[in-house]
Amino acid sequence: MSKKIILACSICGSRNYSTNHKPSGAERLELKKFCKACNDHTIHKETR
């Protein structure tokens, strides 16, 4: 079963994206996405 998660920018902390992800363990999901606040592609991490 998938769980809805929020992705936050690692630079400015703004929460820009949401997605579904299957919880598989202790590590958080990290994706490189475009941040509108930073105006650059940055690492976005899963929030809890």
Side-chain angles (χ1 to χ4, degrees), residues 24-40:
S24 61
E27 58 187 64
R28 296 182 184 184
L29 182 66
E30 291 184 0
L31 297 172
K32 192 168 187 180
K33 295 281 208 172
F34 183 79
C35 179
K36 294 178 224 171
C38 297
N39 201 24
D40 196 16

Side-chain angles (χ1 to χ4, degrees), residues 9-29:
C9 178
S10 61
I11 307 285
C12 67
S14 65
R15 297 176 177 198
N16 301 325
Y17 295 96
S18 63
T19 185
N20 292 324
H21 182 256
K22 290 184 180 179
S24 61
E27 58 187 64
R28 296 182 184 184
L29 182 66

